[in-house]
Amino acid sequence: MKLLKILKRLFRNPRLHPRFSVDNGVLVLIEPHAAAPRQVQMVNISEGGCAFIYNGSRKDLKASGSLSIQFKDILCLERVGFVTKSDSLLSDSNDKKEQLRIRNVEFQWIDILDQKKLKEFIKQNAIVRE
């Protein structure tokens, strides 16, 4: 059994794209969400996806399928399709609306112009740890 675990670790697929932490000013706008997009705090990003933190239950964002990325008041990337890869509880609360969660998403098809914008966004906003 130990040998199997060791082999899985050796041969698991590494990430296709490195992830980078981002500045606190980077927001994700989740659409569709009620009458207006929901703003949540991005935690990290790569060319393949991102992670963000939000309050509420998993069901709150279930119907969403696209996001936009904003730094301060500047919209950097609009309406990127995504698929949720994981959604985990960070803090437990009896009130479902007060639960803090982290969601990791994978971007769907992005055209060449948006790929260029995404790469530039990462270059400008990634926090590089020395």
Side-chain angles (χ1 to χ4, degrees):
M1 195 55 131
K2 279 187 176 182
L3 179 61
L4 185 60
K5 284 183 180 181
I6 291 170
L7 288 173
K8 281 183 181 180
R9 285 185 186 168
L10 286 174
F11 294 105
R12 70 178 175 200
N13 292 337
R15 287 192 182 276
L16 291 175
H17 308 286
R19 287 216 174 215
F20 301 97
S21 296
V22 293
D23 185 33
N24 288 337
V26 178
L27 298 175
V28 177
L29 308 174
I30 306 295
E31 301 175 47
H33 189 270
R38 181 172 178 182
Q39 289 187 351
V40 295
Q41 178 66 49
M42 183 183 287
V43 178
N44 62 46
I45 190 166
S46 75
E47 290 180 36
C50 69
F52 54 85
I53 294 176
Y54 68 100
N55 282 345
S57 77
R58 189 179 302 194
K59 294 176 186 174
D60 290 346
L61 299 180
K62 190 172 184 174
S64 59
S66 70
L67 59 82
S68 297
I69 299 172
Q70 174 179 313
F71 179 66
K72 300 194 178 175
D73 288 335
I74 301 166
L75 200 56
C76 303
L77 200 59
E78 294 184 74
R79 293 194 174 102
V80 176
F82 70 87
V83 173
T84 300
K85 289 304 197 178
S86 68
D87 191 314
S88 307
L89 193 60
L90 288 177
S91 69
D92 199 10
S93 172
N94 291 336
D95 184 2
K96 296 281 187 199
K97 295 200 182 259
E98 294 301 317
Q99 289 183 336
L100 194 58
R101 304 188 68 83
I102 185 166
R103 181 173 285 198
N104 290 286
V105 300
E106 178 182 355
F107 299 141
Q108 295 301 292
W109 184 83
I110 299 177
D111 66 33
I112 292 177
L113 293 175
D114 282 343
Q115 285 176 0
K116 188 174 180 179
K117 287 180 191 177
L118 179 59
K119 287 178 185 180
E120 188 61 30
F121 175 82
I122 292 170
K123 186 176 176 182
Q124 291 177 354
N125 294 288
I127 297 173
V128 179
R129 296 194 173 118
E130 307 270 338

